[in-house]
């Protein structure tokens, strides 16, 4: 590969979708039926470039036993702005990196340049490939899905702009740029959720998503400020000034090479918590997850792209990218894990009682993202790579599931309530089969993709909960606390070639670095991770349950179609599509066209099954491709341990404290069995409740199905199961949903309401009376004067 | 012991003057009758307190030295203050304007005592001669007879009087602190240095005695020539703008009437 | 040491300034408000001249000339505004202008006031013989709301 | 003392051009039947811009009461730029009046334009003034024409009420400010700013006593005067009423040009107290002034932005909402002033460049930069509102068409993206910039303000730094709150549909102004560096307290004067073109 090629490709990956978006905006109407071409071609070419980049980013990675050398390429596009003085890190703090020339600090005029710099490393390459390839498949799928929508140009322009923003987000090499594109993807998401803005739900959901995300963005802004204050720069990479001195970037190799180069303690924990707040907002973690289920008001392909596969993983990316910052704050890491596991469990519980197919998937997304956070929170190399691994596999199968749901929705005339249709495997065989594959992957059934990645996450959690079980070495006799623990463990790695348990893993141990102890470090004990492991295991079972509940409700049982389905393909005129997509099809009321006589009854028998059919090939082919990927990708990546080794060369993951936690890749049979067992129980429960039943049967009337007599023996079992398992589970889930709706939503609303209430108070002052104003003004001035006089003369 | 409680720069006498002045102002300001228990006694009480405040203020002042200077200054400043207070508290706006003319006379006197002859005369000419007469015209035009209700009540008299009292206390305290000791940080060990470096001050003030009018003119048309030009622009813009506003208002009025 | 004249003149200026401020805060007649504002400027002039004399610098006096000019300009503008306001509302009341205010705040209305300070004169009305006495609504003392 | 010479008038060529244009407008309107007064205004502003382009930026040219330096040149440019934009909007407003036939179409455009030109001249004079007298005259030349324009542009009851309220409150505010000027004069013994600065920084006991007694009054009352012009707490009450009662063009004027005056006053005040690099030491009164100024401005900043933003949340009248937003932005501007005054007296730093002066310059520069970006965005919004003009109400064909209504409430913008995409896009972009969404200029502005606040005492974690971190956090929180109501407008434009027609009778001038603001916003988004550098230089000049000398030297690159050149070189943005480490 020529030396300049990676840089060129790196620029091309975001540039091509940007151009595609601009072309679509400018020429949108003139392209007519080929309006999708720029987006598909642009994102397609970007996908090719991303594939090549994956090869280029390989660097020295791949070796499993020697510590990988960091691989990183940066390319600076232009200087955005230069500020003539940056804050220098406080002398004496770890951020100041003693012994390394930090620019011309003596004159106090070290310039801070805000450059637009892109970077290439394994993490970025992986993310870029996921973004562009899922984007490509979604764009192709949308050709079929959106083919009747009059606003196609806007849709494809937004998708292209989103791919551009997301690519820039993962490729930019500065916290400031990350912040800029963090907002940009939020804006794209806002516009796509509100795509059908004539529906008030969509507009409301868009606004909610934006406002909730602002809370997270606030966290990112504070984090950026704190990073700037602490490290004096915002770049990830090292910058070499003209005079040859190196300004170490926050995640640059100079700093990474120094074991004590990162600030822990209170400030470090605060930075990490702010970053976590940002990540929680974008990745829909408790308590900022409330926007994601509502975001399903957007077009299904957009949901698949943004709210399942890519944008919501930005938080995971951010935490993984900032791994060295987190590793020195075990307390913050513990909070990450805690938030993640809690989110996973709560969202899974809520998912079990949803009747809207897309909402089931939305809660499932929240839950799976929670898994990733739980894994990140372990702070081990295995945890970080497992999270990214799960991110990749989840992007595959969740996009598949969403697109499948979209296919169902497309065929059902916009109806997505699972109680209103059933037995669709007969009419939509390809969708049913691919959806089934996706569900197996999501449920974690071997050998599908989700199984491997979930297994790695469970293993990572298990390793933190039971260090001894993983061949950990106890350091009961710790050396003097002054010695840097990270260095110590790094020295141990080659000699023993055995996994080492950093001291911080035990609850009473000091922090991993010799500096200040963070305020939350007491959290990071083995006991916490044990609890989180069990939570995750339960979540795995719940995941399988709600996934297969949805599968059984949708695709098995007697064939039933909603009346709207007849209209879905009755005609292909734009008005028709507009009617079905554009106007409140989410409602339970029979909608359809007001003018068209509703000749179809509401029962399955009355619906002409022929009216509904499988989606066109342009929609099913992406499903098949994704299904194939979901089948093999987990096995491929796991068997070769390729991804883990590849990612280990990411500079962020070569921090000594991270490298110290390297363990040889292994397949944990016991964990695999536990995970599979949980999934099997979940599937079995779902099958008992829903397999072959009418999906609209209330839970008490389940036994009215046609197979009732044949399974008479199951009567007692069903009842017992219902009383012992289903009822408690349901009430728990309802309770979780209630808490979600009332408390957390209410809390978010309350946060929004406080300023408004304050505003109402302040507005009282604007009474319109001239002399009131002057009196109030003079009183204010007097207060200032008195305060000043008191301050000076006291 | 009261003095110990007060901040540097003020004296019990001054504080009493400010306090009684505040209360007197509150009592004298136009208020609807029967609004409190004082009733018709508030006017008398206010006057008594006001006189007391003036006396205390006069007593709290510094001695100027020569008896003649002292007496003249006391009289003209008394006129200014009484006129000003009466302007504010008189119910009838016409009387208020006339009291204001008296206050202007007092101010002119103070300016004369301070050695600003030109400004003293200019004040009388500009204000009493032009502005005030104009306003009296307007008053006569707008308010042919009697007292309007809004002249007989005032807006939040208590709060405004308190605000005024606080501000006056602050101002007089500041003025009193002008003769305080310098802050601890800045006492120069040797007084000789201080005297040597002392810039303009009371001694320089005597220089004013020589031909003040010419010097003021030189100042105005020397260094401040640009500002004079700017003042000319200000007068121009006020004149043109005022006429334009009036004429446009008439046009609008005509349009409104034509429309209706 | 510190010149007594400066002290006393500054005090006079401060008193005038404060009186003017109180006036503009309390009096509702637009013209009296304006006069009070001028009173504040008088206080400022006195203080400026006092400092000018203390420092032996004519800048302060020059500034007073400009204060006078500004006062004249303000007078012209104020006259126009006051006249226009009067021609629209028929009153010189500052509190009459309340139509611009926050949408949620009610209009502020004063307490009822008798028309004059004294009790309103009520003239005896002689009723012709044989006719039932009738109350004349228009003769009722007008009670103003402001 | 520098006498006023003919050279003084030469330095004032742009202002004189403005005045001549104003006279042309006045006389033409009165005697020659000139109808397009605003055209004269635009030509005059353009000519003034051309003339000011030739002025030296570096160094200080002092003549009479003038100091033409980097700061005053920047202010002058900003005045002319913003003045030109506002004039475009005002010109559009005239066309609108022509359509709705409220006052006579061109009754007094000559007078309006002339008054406006004199306002600009006054503001520019206040920027170049090196003397309290000229500063005061310039500021009054802003206040009185503003009140007159309020009365001229809208003659109905609401317009009258707005102008009346503004005028009387400005009387109070100017008197308070003037007493502050008296105190400054009392301290300084001269109206010359340089002399006042010297006396503030002296250690002579007699003068120090006067300073110690008068500094609180001087600081507090000057701040009050500036707060009125900025529409900052506690003198912000007039803003919502006055904006609501006047035309959008006047609202654009009110929300920008007086704010510039307020910032000029405050920066001059801070600059008075800062020792120049060559001065021996900071005096008691100067440090006291700085120590008093920063907490006061910080508190006013926090309160202003919070009050403005929360008050805007439930407003439906657009101009009222934008007035509340203008209050909030006054608060943001004060953050920079607070940072500048705090950093200028760093407890550990000495004087000159070694101490906190650089951080102070960061604060001043950030304020000026933010002001420029804010003003362009807010003029853009008002230009668009002027351009929209009127909307037809909902009506059915059966009944006669009801009259048009002025587009005044948020609901009046519904569906604008469908009917007028360019207008909707401009409003949206301007509002997003005001909200501080990256990468728009408003974001850079907020970033530089927050950065300036965070640079105060960056060495350690003292109480001052904690206060400023809290201030920066308040700023960020407020930006988040503000997004809610800006978003409401954007949502109304993009997420609602309507059948109401748009009149767009605001005239072509407002349309041109709108597009100009859009172009400027786009330019500053991509290349904020130029404006940033200029603002920073201006901040450096005004806050370094460069001694006023008649020598027009001090070129940054000139090696002739070692001390001066090194100082300036250290201030000028260094860009050693960093390259990435492969």
């Amino acid at each position: 590969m020529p030396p300049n090629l990676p840089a060129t490709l790196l620029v091309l990956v975001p540039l091509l979708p940007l151009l595609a978006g601009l072309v679509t905006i400018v020429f949108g109407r003139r392209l007519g039926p080929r309006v999708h071409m720029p987006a598909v071609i642009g994102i397609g070419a970007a996908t090719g470039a991303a594939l090549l980049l994956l090869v280029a980013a390989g660097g020295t990675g791949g070796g499993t036993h020697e510590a990988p050398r960091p691989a990183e390429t940066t390319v600076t596009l232009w200087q955005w702005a230069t500020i003539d003085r940056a804050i220098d890190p406080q002398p004496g703090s770890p951020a100041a990196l003693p012994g390394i020339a930090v620019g011309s600090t003596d004159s106090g005029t070290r310039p801070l340049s805000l450059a637009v710099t892109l970077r290439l490393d394994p993490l970025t390459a992986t993310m870029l490939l996921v973004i562009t390839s899922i984007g490509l498949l979604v764009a192709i799928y949308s050709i079929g899905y959106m083919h009747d929508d009059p606003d196609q140009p806007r849709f494809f322009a937004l998708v292209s702009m989103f791919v551009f923003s997301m690519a820039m987000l993962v490729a930019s090499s500065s916290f400031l740029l990350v912040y800029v594109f963090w907002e940009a993807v939020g804006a794209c998401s806002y516009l796509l959720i509100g795509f059908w803005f004539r529906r008030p739900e969509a507009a409301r959901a868009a606004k909610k998503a934006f406002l909730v995300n602002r809370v997270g963005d606030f966290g990112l802004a504070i984090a950026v400020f704190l990073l700037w204050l602490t490290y004096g720069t915002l770049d990830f990479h090292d910058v070499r000034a003209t005079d040859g001195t190196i300004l170490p970037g926050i995640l640059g190799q100079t700093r990474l090479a120094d074991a004590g180069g990162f600030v822990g303690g209170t400030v470090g924990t605060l930075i990490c918590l702010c970053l976590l707040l940002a990540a929680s907002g974008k990745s829909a973690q408790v308590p900022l997850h409330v926007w994601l289920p509502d975001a399903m008001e957007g077009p299904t392909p957009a949901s698949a792209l943004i709210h399942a596969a890519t944008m919501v993983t930005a938080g995971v990316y951010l935490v993984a990218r900032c791994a060295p910052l987190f590793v020195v704050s075990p307390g913050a890491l513990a909070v990450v894990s805690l938030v993640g596991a809690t989110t996973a469990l709560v969202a899974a519980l809520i998912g079990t009682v949803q009747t809207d197919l897309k909402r089931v998937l939305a809660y499932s997304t929240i839950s799976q993202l929670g898994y990733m956070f739980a894994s990140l929170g372990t702070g081990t190399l295995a945890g970080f790579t497992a999270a990214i691994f799960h991110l990749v596999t989840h992007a595959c199968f969740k996009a598949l599931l969403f697109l499948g749901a979209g296919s169902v929705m497309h065929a059902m005339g916009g109806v997505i309530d699972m109680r209103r249709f059933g037995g669709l495997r007969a009419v939509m065989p390809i969708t049913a089969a691919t959806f089934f594959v996706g569900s197996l992957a999501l449920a974690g059934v071997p050998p599908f993709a989700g199984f491997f990645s979930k297994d790695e996450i469970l293993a990572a959690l298990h390793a933190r909960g039971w260090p001894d079980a993983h061949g950990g070495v106890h350091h009961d006799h710790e050396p003097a606390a002054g010695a840097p623990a990270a260095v110590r463990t790094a020295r141990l790695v080659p000699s023993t070639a055995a996994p080492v348990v950093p001291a911080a893993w035990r609850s009473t141990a000091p922090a991993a670095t010799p500096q200040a102890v963070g305020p939350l470090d007491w959290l990071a004990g083995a006991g916490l991770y044990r609890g989180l492991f069990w939570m995750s295991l339960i979540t795995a079972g719940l995941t399988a349950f709600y996934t297969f509940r949805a599968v059984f409700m949708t695709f098995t049982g007697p064939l039933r179609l909603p009346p709207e389905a007849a209209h879905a393909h009755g005609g292909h005129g734009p008005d028709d599509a507009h009617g079905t997509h554009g106007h409140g099809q989410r409602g339970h009321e029979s909608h359809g066209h007001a003018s068209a006589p509703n000749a179809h009854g509401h029962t399955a028998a009355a619906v002409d099954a022929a009216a509904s059919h499988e989606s066109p090939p342009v929609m099913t082919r992406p499903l098949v491709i994704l299904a194939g990927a979901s089948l093999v990708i987990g096995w491929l990546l796991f068997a070769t341990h390729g991804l883990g080794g590849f990612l280990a060369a990411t500079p962020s993951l070569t921090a000594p404290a991270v490298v110290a936690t390297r363990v040889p890749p292994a397949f944990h049979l016991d964990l695999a069995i536990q995970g599979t067992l949980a999934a099997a129980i979940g599937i079995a429960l779902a099958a008992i409740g829903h397999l072959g039943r009418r999906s609209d049967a209330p839970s008490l009337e389940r036994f009215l199905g046609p197979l009732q007599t044949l399974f008479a023996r199951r009567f007692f079992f069903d009842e017992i199961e219902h009383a012992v398992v289903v009822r408690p589970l349901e009430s728990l889930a309802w309770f979780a949903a209630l808490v979600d709706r009332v408390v957390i939503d209410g809390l978010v609303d309350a946060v929004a309401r406080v300023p408004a209430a304050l505003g109402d108070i302040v507005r009282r002052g604007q009474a319109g009376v001239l002399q009131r104003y002057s009196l109030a003004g003079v009183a204010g001035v007097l207060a200032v004067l008195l305060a000043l006089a008191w301050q000076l003369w006291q | 012991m009261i003095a110990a409680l007060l901040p540097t720069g003020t004296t019990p006498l001054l504080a009493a003057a400010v306090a009684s002045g505040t209360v007197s102002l509150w009592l004298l300001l136009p208020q609807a009758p029967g609004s409190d228990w004082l009733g018709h006694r508030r006017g008398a009480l206010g006057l008594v307190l006001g006189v007391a405040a003036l006396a205390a203020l006069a007593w709290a002042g510094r001695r100027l030295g020569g008896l003649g200077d002292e007496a003249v200054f006391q009289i003209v400043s008394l006129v200014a203050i009484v006129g000003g207070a009466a302007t504010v508290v008189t119910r009838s706006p016409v009387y208020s304007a006339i009291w204001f003319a008296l206050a202007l006379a007092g101010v002119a006197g103070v300016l004369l005592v301070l050695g600003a002859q030109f400004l003293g005369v200019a004040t009388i000419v500009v204000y009493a001669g032009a502005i005030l007469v104009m306003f009296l015209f307007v008053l006569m035009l707008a308010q042919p007879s009697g007292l309007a209700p809004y002249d007989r009540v005032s807006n939040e008299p208590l709060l405004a009087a308190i605000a005024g009292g606080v501000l006056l206390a602050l101002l007089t305290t500041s003025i009193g602190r002008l003769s305080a000791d310098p802050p601890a940080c800045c006492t120069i060990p040797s007084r000789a240095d201080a005297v040597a470096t002392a810039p303009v001050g009371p001694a320089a003030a005597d220089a004013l005695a020589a031909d003040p009018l010419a010097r003021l003119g030189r100042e105005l048309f020397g260094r401040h020539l640009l500002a004079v030009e700017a003042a000319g622009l200000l007068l121009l813009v006020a004149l043109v703008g005022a006429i334009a506003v009036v004429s446009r208002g008439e046009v609008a009025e005509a349009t409104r009437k034509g429309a209706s | 040491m510190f010149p007594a004249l400066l002290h006393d003149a500054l005090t006079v200026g401060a008193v005038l300034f404060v009186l003017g401020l109180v006036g503009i805060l309390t009096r509702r007649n637009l013209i009296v408000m304006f006069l009070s504002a001028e009173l504040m400027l008088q206080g400022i002039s006195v203080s400026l001249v006092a400092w000018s004399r203390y420092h032996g610098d004519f800048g302060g006096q020059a500034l007073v000339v400009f204060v006078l000019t500004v006062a004249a300009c303000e007078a012209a503008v104020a006259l126009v505004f006051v006249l226009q306001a009067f021609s629209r509302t028929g009153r010189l009341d500052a509190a009459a202008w309340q139509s611009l205010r926050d949408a949620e705040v009610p209009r502020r209305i004063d307490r009822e006031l008798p028309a004059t300070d004294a009790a309103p004169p009520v003239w005896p009305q002689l009723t012709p013989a044989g006719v039932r006495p009738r109350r004349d609504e228009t003769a009722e003392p007008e009670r103003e709301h402001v | 003392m520098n006498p006023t010479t003919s050279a003084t008038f030469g330095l004032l060529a742009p202002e004189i051009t403005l005045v001549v244009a104003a006279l042309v407008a006045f006389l033409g309107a009165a005697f020659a039947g000139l109808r397009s007064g605003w055209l004269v205004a635009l030509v005059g502003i353009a000519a003034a811009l051309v003339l000011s382009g030739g002025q030296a930026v570096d160094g200080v040219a002092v003549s009479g009461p003038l100091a033409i330096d980097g700061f005053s040149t920047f202010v002058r440019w900003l005045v002319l730029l913003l003045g030109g934009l506002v004039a475009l909007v005002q010109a559009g407003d005239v066309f609108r009046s022509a359509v709705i036939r409220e006052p006579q179409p061109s009754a007094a455009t000559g007078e309006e334009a002339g008054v406006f030109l004199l306002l600009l001249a006054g503001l520019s004079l206040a920027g170049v003034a090196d003397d309290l007298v000229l500063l005061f005259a310039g500021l009054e030349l802003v206040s009185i024409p503003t009140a007159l324009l309020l009365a001229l542009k809208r003659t109905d009851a609401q317009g009258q009420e707005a102008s009346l309220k503004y005028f009387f409150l400005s009387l109070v505010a100017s008197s308070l400010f003037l007493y502050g000027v008296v105190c400054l004069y009392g301290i300084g013994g001269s109206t010359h700013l340089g002399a006042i600065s010297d006396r503030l920084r002296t250690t002579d006991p007699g003068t120090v006593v006067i300073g110690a007694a008068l500094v609180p009054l001087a600081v507090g009352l000057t701040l009050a005067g500036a707060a009125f012009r900025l529409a900052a707490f506690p003198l912000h009450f007039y803003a919502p009423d006055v904006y609501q009662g006047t035309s959008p063009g006047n609202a654009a004027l009110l929300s920008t040009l007086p704010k510039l005056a307020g910032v000029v006053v405050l920066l001059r005040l801070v600059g008075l107290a800062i020792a120049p690099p060559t001065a021996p030491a900071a005096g008691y009164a100067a440090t006291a002034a700085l120590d008093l100024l920063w907490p006061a401005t910080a508190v006013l900043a926090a309160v202003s932005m919070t009050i403005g933003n929360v008050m805007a949340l439930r407003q439906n009248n657009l101009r009222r909402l934008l007035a509340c937003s203008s209050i909030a932005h006054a608060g943001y501007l004060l953050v920079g002033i607070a940072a500048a005054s705090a950093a200028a007296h760093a407890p550990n730093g000495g004087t000159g460049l070694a101490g906190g002066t650089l951080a102070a310059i960061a604060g001043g520069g950030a304020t000026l930069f933010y002001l420029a970006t804010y003003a362009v965005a807010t003029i853009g919004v008002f230009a668009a509102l002027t351009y929209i003009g009127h909307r037809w109400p909902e009506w059915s064909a059966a009944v006669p068409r009801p009259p048009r209504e002025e587009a005044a409430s948020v609901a009046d913008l519904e569906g604008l993206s469908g009917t007028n995409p360019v207008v909707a896009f401009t409003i949206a972009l301007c509002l997003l910039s005001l909200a501080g969404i990256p990468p728009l200029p408003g974001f850079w502005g907020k970033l530089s303000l927050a950065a300036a606040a965070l640079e105060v005492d960056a060495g350690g974690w003292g109480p001052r730094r904690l206060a400023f971190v809290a201030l920066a956090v308040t700023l960020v929180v407020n930006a988040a709150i503000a997004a809610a109501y800006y978003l409401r407008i954007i949502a109304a434009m993009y997420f609602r549909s309507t059948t109401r027609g748009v009149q767009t009778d605001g005239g072509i001038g407002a349309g041109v102004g709108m597009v100009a603001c859009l172009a400027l916003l786009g330019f500053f988004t991509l290349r904020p560096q130029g404006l940033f550098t200029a603002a920073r230089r201006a901040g450096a000049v005004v806050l370094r307290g460069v001694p006023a000398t008649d020598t027009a030297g001090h070129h940054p690159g000139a090696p002739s004067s070692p001390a001066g050149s090194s100082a300036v070189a250290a201030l000028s943005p260094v860009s050693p073109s960093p390259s990435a480490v492969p």
Side-chain angles (χ1 to χ4, degrees), chain C residues 5-75:
Chain C
L5 185 59
L6 173 68
H7 183 277
D8 287 359
L10 284 179
T11 307
V12 171
V15 170
L16 287 177
F17 184 78
V18 169
L19 282 173
L21 186 69
V22 173
I24 205 169
L25 292 183
T26 54
R27 297 303 305 268
R28 287 169 44 178
N29 190 312
L30 287 173
I31 291 184
V32 179
M33 281 173 73
F34 181 76
L35 291 180
S36 303
E38 298 298 312
L39 202 58
M40 291 173 85
L41 292 186
Q42 295 303 314
I44 287 165
S45 299
V46 169
S47 308
L48 270 176
V49 173
W51 279 116
S52 168
R53 164 151 180 139
Y54 172 72
H55 288 302
D57 175 81
F58 274 91
Q61 292 205 20
L63 193 49
V64 173
V65 172
F66 290 99
V67 171
L68 277 178
T69 317
V70 167
C73 295
E74 281 174 351

Side-chain angles (χ1 to χ4, degrees), chain A residues 110-155:
Chain A
R110 186 163 65 88
L112 173 70
S113 64
L114 303 174
V116 179
T117 305
L118 301 185
R119 64 185 288 108
L120 177 65
D121 58 28
L123 180 58
T124 295
T126 312
M127 291 297 293
L128 280 180
L129 187 62
V130 169
I131 293 160
T132 51
S133 54
I134 301 286
L136 177 66
L137 291 173
V138 164
I140 293 172
Y141 176 90
S142 305
I143 300 171
Y145 189 87
M146 304 294 291
H147 70 119
D148 294 332
D149 199 293
D151 286 330
Q152 274 194 76
R154 189 153 57 95
F155 180 80

Side-chain angles (χ1 to χ4, degrees), chain A residues 527-539:
Chain A
L528 174 81
Y529 286 96
R530 285 179 200 184
L532 296 184
F533 173 78
W534 288 116
M535 279 167 76
S536 304
L537 207 57
I538 295 169
T539 308

